[in-house]
Amino acid sequence: MKKIIVTLFAALFISTIVFYISKNKTDITNYGMLFGALATIIAVPLIKFLFPVTKELKIGTSEFYPNLFHKTAEFLKKKRNNR
């Protein structure tokens, strides 16, 4: 639980820094960055809950893309061999 809270605060901190660096005082369209960061933080646990196969892909970690690549390559090899 502590790890989740630290990750949440770190992501919000980074998004607010980016928001304030790139924000003009008259520009209010940049609020999308904060909403984007919050949506990403909320989406990862939701995707893990809705799609259990993503747990083995380790979504939300640095191993996600290599695991996704290997799973896709295995799937395509099986498809090619079944023809």
Side-chain angles (χ1 to χ4, degrees):
M1 183 68 177
K2 183 179 178 184
K3 185 177 179 181
I4 294 171
I5 293 172
V6 169
T7 304
L8 176 70
F9 282 125
L12 286 175
F13 180 71
I14 291 170
S15 66
T16 54
I17 288 174
V18 170
F19 173 75
Y20 283 113
I21 288 174
S22 65
K23 182 179 182 290
N24 291 333
K25 297 299 180 191
T26 60
D27 185 21
I28 59 168
T29 59
N30 264 343
Y31 284 108
M33 280 192 271
L34 290 176
F35 292 124
L38 286 173
T40 304
I41 291 168
I42 293 170
V44 170
L46 185 64
I47 289 172
K48 283 182 181 180
F49 176 74
L50 292 176
F51 305 103
V53 73
T54 58
K55 287 182 182 176
E56 68 185 53
L57 290 176
K58 298 181 182 174
I59 188 169
T61 65
S62 62
E63 291 127 17
F64 172 67
Y65 290 108
N67 290 341
L68 181 65
F69 174 75
H70 293 300
K71 286 281 187 185
T72 306
E74 288 174 13
F75 176 76
L76 293 175
K77 283 180 185 177
K78 288 179 185 177
K79 281 286 221 187
R80 190 176 346 156
N81 291 338
N82 287 338
R83 290 186 179 183

